[in-house]
Amino acid sequence: MALLYPNIYSLAISNLGFQLVYSLINAQPDIVCERFVYPDSDQPLRSLESNHPLTDFAIVCVSVSFEHDFPRLAGMLAAGGIAPMAADRASDIAPGSPLVIMGGVGVFMNPEPLAPFADLMVIGEAEAVLPELLLLISRVRESGGDRDTLLRQCGLIRGCYVPSLYSSTYGDDGRVERITAAPGLPDRVERMTITTTSCAAHSMQLSPAAELGMYMIELGRGCSRGCRFCAAGFIYRPPRLWTKEAILRALNERPAHVDKVGLLGMEMASSETLNHIASALQEQQCALSFSSLRADRISPQLISLLADSGLKSVAIAPDGASERLRCIINKGLSEADLLDAATRLVEAGIVHLKLYVMIGLPTETNEDFDELARMLARMRKLLLPVARKQGRMVEITLSVNSFVPKPWTPFQYLSFGGLDRNTALAGKNSSAALLALKQKIRYLRCMVNKLPNVRLKVDRPERVLEQAVFSRGDRRLAGVLLDMGIGRYSFKQAMKAHGLTSWEYAVRPREADELMCWQVLDHGIKDGYLYRELERAYRLQATSPCDTSRCRRCGICHETLES
């Protein structure tokens, strides 16, 4: 069996999900799994373990995390010598015409752009689906069943989506009018999750080439905060925080020579859990690392560990430029939280502070950016004397990213670029959205240039537009992805060649009752809940974090209680 990751090796070996699936498959007694990653430009596509070509494998699994990897995936299938489109593969499952199974968060957020490439898609977490699925595949193949026989049986397994057994009908305006399942199959495919674990997911393959270069431990899945822009906070519901025993068991699996530990999910872990982990890491003389830290979760114990770890750079994520915007996105962080966190981190020895902020959020204006400038000036003023006492200089990086409307979030209805509804509908092209974002970037650049030791890092709106198109894309994008993946066309050229526009996917605002192509999946969220959350955002109403012991607002925990 082959397992593909559609990006370079250093990113693949740093991806905990990819490692987990690789280990799960190889744990099966009759299966040997070999990995493929996106090759360097001068290298052939061969397995990492034995240098075999993709055509030697009868089953090809793919782990998909990010939308920008979609074209690479299509290109890898073509470069591997197998038919990229599932409809073009032979009825017999064999090397050269394999069964292609896709999974990962990029799939169970919105499977439709990749659906034509996949025979089968795993919807949800691998541990909850793979064991039963692999057993069925083995049984059907041993009995001589062909592709269609196998796929019909797979379609009856919870968490398995067979794209060829579902069809979508589009209106003249490109909107989805109807999604139809083949007879005998569920109308929607249920997403599957695990509820507990005795040992938290952790690094199982370590490599000096890994981008992160550390032993990683997952603290849980999902997030209770309910930030309205964040897909992870909704598609991983209910949020599950692993017990401190499960986390410490994973820590104890660490090879003795590895002394740097990365924690995934620190922004949602409780202070009590973080303190237990901090104590264990200090006892084992391990350094700590993480991607970002929630500004209101910094305890004295954690500060002590940061100081011992010698960590010099930390990121916190205001996400919204002003308190008003942070209320709209349900972030729950005040300016006081951010200033206090920055001060305490610098006191612990941090010399490089990153702040993640989005542009293109709903109702955003230059007044919000002016408030951000004032906060940065206050932050710099607070940090300067602290840094001087330590004989060092603190650098602040404002990392600015364009907001992308994501499926299964309250903001899935909005326009890329932060355009209001009337403006988005007026031009029916993406130029107004790109112009709006570039103007915001220019405004921020002028603002930051006035602040010493504060630098600005921005993404290119044109690049993010691709992600926004793929994020809300449907099956009609498959040809675009393939043309991009094999190098035939650029993104703009491919969209034009297939008669599609960025506006219809990324910029067009969605209606409250509109059928979304990704609703072929069932994440358990009640009809209307996401739009009601959007309405709460416009009214500047906060939604309290998930409490799975009593909260029943979104419907995932089934019972109905008054909110």
Side-chain angles (χ1 to χ4, degrees), residues 23 26 84 89 126 129 139 145 148 159-160 168 221 285 289 332 342 428 457 459 461 500:
S23 298
N26 272 323
R89 295 175 199 136
V129 182
R139 189 167 63 243
D148 288 343
C160 288
S168 297
R221 292 183 189 170
Q285 298 183 321
S289 186
K428 293 195 174 182
K457 181 181 178 183
D459 54 13
L500 301 172

Side-chain angles (χ1 to χ4, degrees), residues 271-272 274-275 278 293 296-306 344:
S271 297
E272 180 187 3
L274 288 178
N275 287 340
L293 185 63
D296 56 356
R297 291 284 178 87
I298 303 177
S299 67
Q301 181 97 32
L302 189 57
I303 287 290
S304 174
L305 178 58
L306 288 173
R344 297 172 70 187

Side-chain angles (χ1 to χ4, degrees), residues 214-290:
M214 66 189 73
Y215 182 81
M216 295 179 293
I217 300 175
E218 178 188 69
L219 304 187
R221 292 183 189 170
C223 178
S224 63
R225 302 299 307 189
C227 295
R228 292 169 175 138
F229 64 88
C230 178
F234 290 88
I235 64 175
Y236 281 104
R237 289 191 176 196
R240 291 141 291 150
L241 300 177
W242 306 144
T243 64
K244 63 179 182 292
E245 291 80 12
I247 295 167
L248 295 177
R249 190 169 291 118
L251 177 60
N252 291 333
E253 294 289 323
R254 172 183 56 88
H257 68 280
V258 177
D259 60 2
K260 188 175 183 182
V261 174
L263 301 180
L264 304 179
M266 279 189 69
E267 66 278 1
M268 66 172 181
S270 69
S271 297
E272 180 187 3
T273 298
L274 288 178
N275 287 340
H276 278 291
I277 298 168
S279 296
L281 289 173
Q282 286 177 313
E283 288 175 9
Q284 298 184 28
Q285 298 183 321
C286 285
L288 170 67
S289 186
F290 48 86

